[in-house]
Amino acid sequence: QVQLVESGGGSVQPGGSLRLSCAASGFTLDYSYVGWFRQAPGKEQEGVSCVSVTAGSTHYAESVKGRFSVSRDNAKNAVYLQMNNLKPEATGVYYCAGLYGQCGTFGDAFGYTSTPYDSWGQGTQVTVSP
């Protein structure tokens, strides 16, 4: 089975930066997208960003455009999320997911379509506070 492991989380002050990594191990599968999602305490999960594995095209939630950047290194089976100018509302657990469905902006919202083959990591904590 495939495992996705996130790393790079931590605690930073507002305006700071973090770089999250998502590394795949085990059997390799041909995902269509790798997405980043986050969940704040007491709130529903929200999509942050995703990248097409084959084409490298990127998609972002409106709240992070211009500040976050997602990239992939297929040779390393890794995806990265560079987060700059972090704000307190970015606090939460960040998950990466290997997706076989669609991911991107649908109308005015960021979202994805789930499949039985999607894989999710365990999450990494990001805390933004003074």
Side-chain angles (χ1 to χ4, degrees), residues 14-104:
S17 298
L18 286 172
R19 184 174 184 258
L20 306 183
S21 298
C22 175
S25 62
F27 294 111
T28 58
L29 299 174
D30 294 329
Y31 301 123
S32 56
Y33 294 88
V34 171
W36 286 97
F37 304 82
R38 67 188 179 194
Q39 187 168 223
K43 294 188 175 182
E44 293 185 343
Q45 178 183 262
E46 64 173 333
V48 176
S49 178
C50 59
V51 57
S52 167
V53 173
T54 55
S57 55
T58 58
H59 309 270
Y60 302 92
E62 286 294 332
S63 61
V64 305
K65 282 184 177 179
R67 300 184 299 110
F68 288 17
S69 179
V70 65
S71 61
R72 51 77 160 131
D73 186 339
N74 288 350
K76 296 182 178 180
N77 279 349
V79 171
Y80 308 96
L81 183 66
Q82 179 68 45
M83 306 186 296
N84 298 323
N85 193 203
L86 283 163
K87 301 178 179 180
E89 51 263 40
T91 294
V93 179
Y94 283 67
Y95 301 88
C96 68
L99 308 172
Y100 278 87
Q102 299 176 8
C103 186

